[in-house]
Amino acid sequence: MKEQVYQTERQAYYAKFPTFWSNLYDQEYALYSVYEIEPEEAEDIRNVANRVGRIFSKMAKLLRGLEKETLLELGYPIETIPYLSCKEIVAESIISRVDLVKTNDTYKVLEINSDTPTFIKELFQMNGEVCKEFGRVDPNGHEEERLGRAVKNAIFESYQALEKKEFPHIVFTSHDENFEDKQTVLYLKDICRLPSQYVPLHKLKIIEGEALLDEEGRKIDVLYRQTFPIESLILDKDAETGASVGLQLLELVRLKKLAIVNPLSAFLLQSKAVQAIIWGLHEQRSEFFTKEEHKWIGEYFLATYLEPTPFLSAGKKYVEKPTFGREGDSVKIYAPSGEKVEEDPNNSYVDYVQVYQEYVDLPKISFQTEIGWKDGHMMIGAFLVNEQASAFGYRLGKQIIDNLSYFMPVGFKQIKE
């Protein structure tokens, strides 16, 4: 497609979806094309996601039993320690996303975002819309309905843990000024089909030790905060009084006066240090994992440690990541000599404990944009809904996938009849 035609058709197409962010940071984000795969590849990705998810879920049970000092060494902020043992519902996370890399013969896990994953509306809704536009079958068909049911069930399951009987007052929240965050939350609110309210974060009020209130002073039973990470929440203070309202909110959860979704257990798995524990147990051939699980870890997980020495000793290229970094922020790549060869320009998470992970090349791909054809790297975002594999899709960008990476819709090769 010629550049001008692509630009015109892309802009006309995405203009039909005013609640979707086809552009981000004043540049193209959603590509106007479909990356074609065979159904077998979708099955492979979901198999990997299920196996990896099972490993992470198993780890949550172990983490809840660790001593305070160990949790601090693993990078969990000290403010969160009293709340890490909370377990409100069966699933450790309702919506999480595993980032995968396709290699020559298998897939490798870069990390899991179990607390507040983004990329939801793209894969559960827009991917299907773009597939319709190009006459392709959507590999994520029916996953939107499943996601809606999961959110609905999680809300009720969370509410039941409060041991109340009246119909709950359900509030969805996000930063009001962040279009992507707000529209993601409104999307989830819409597809769960429950009577509920959207209240932006800055309009929520807390009565310490008693209740969380909406802007009309009504007591909230369940708060859905899909895009507000716990590591940010604990730093949240009242602009007028300076009170630590984020910690007060967590205390309401601990006191069972409020339920939040994703649950607190999702934050437990968010630390990238969890991968270092998994790899350490695997190297020790620990009986914590079954023989089959050891096989999965060996195939899908990358060697990860809390210090770089193993890579320097072995002369291997490696990556440095903050335990709670997001979107490639603060990630650095090192040569086998220990010399830094690439880094993300942002350094928002340098104060967190760092982990060191075996380097793996992201596969390269050429793709069309409004300013011409580009070469980029490809990463797979595979969702787990209630710990089961669900929608997946692709991000294209630099070796360190960041906020400026593109969303590439995916469809099956066969033409839709």
Side-chain angles (χ1 to χ4, degrees), residues 156-169 210-212 219-222 252 255-259:
F156 279 121
E157 191 181 353
S158 302
Y159 181 63
Q160 284 172 358
L162 302 185
E163 299 176 353
K164 294 183 180 179
K165 293 184 179 176
E166 304 80 15
F167 192 87
H169 180 29
E210 292 298 327
L212 180 69
K219 188 176 179 182
I220 298 168
D221 297 306
V222 182
L252 291 179
L255 295 171
K256 295 197 171 187
K257 294 185 175 183
L258 172 73

Side-chain angles (χ1 to χ4, degrees), residues 191-342:
I191 63 171
C192 81
R193 302 178 187 278
L194 281 174
S196 59
Q197 185 180 350
Y198 173 80
V199 181
L201 276 164
H202 70 278
K203 291 190 175 178
L204 296 175
K205 295 177 183 174
I206 285 187
I207 301 176
E208 187 174 1
E210 292 298 327
L212 180 69
L213 309 178
D214 64 18
E215 55 195 323
E216 296 172 351
R218 189 176 168 196
K219 188 176 179 182
I220 298 168
D221 297 306
V222 182
L223 183 71
Y224 203 103
R225 47 106 213 170
Q226 182 63 44
T227 59
F228 192 33
I230 294 293
E231 71 266 24
S232 300
L233 188 145
I234 60 174
L235 302 175
D236 204 20
K237 294 186 183 296
D238 186 288
E240 294 180 2
T241 66
S244 298
V245 289
L247 290 176
Q248 290 177 13
L249 187 145
L250 293 185
E251 186 63 11
L252 291 179
V253 177
R254 194 184 68 81
L255 295 171
K256 295 197 171 187
K257 294 185 175 183
L258 172 73
I260 60 171
V261 185
N262 266 333
L264 287 177
S265 54
F267 177 71
L268 198 59
L269 297 176
Q270 181 71 29
S271 170
K272 295 179 185 64
V274 175
Q275 292 176 80
I277 305 175
I278 292 171
W279 191 255
L281 292 171
H282 173 63
E283 284 194 322
Q284 296 165 16
R285 303 304 296 177
S286 166
E287 293 183 356
F288 179 74
F289 293 120
T290 65
K291 188 176 179 182
E292 183 179 47
E293 288 166 345
H294 274 294
K295 182 174 178 293
W296 294 344
I297 295 169
E299 179 173 355
Y300 304 131
F301 282 75
L302 292 163
T304 306
Y305 304 97
L306 293 175
E307 38 91 20
T309 310
F311 298 115
L312 293 169
S313 300
K316 286 187 174 180
K317 197 171 181 179
Y318 64 95
V319 179
E320 179 183 349
K321 299 176 173 182
T323 44
F324 286 99
R326 294 166 191 266
E327 298 285 355
D329 193 327
S330 309
V331 171
K332 300 174 178 62
I333 299 173
Y334 291 87
S337 63
E339 179 188 1
K340 187 167 59 183
V341 293
E342 190 173 345

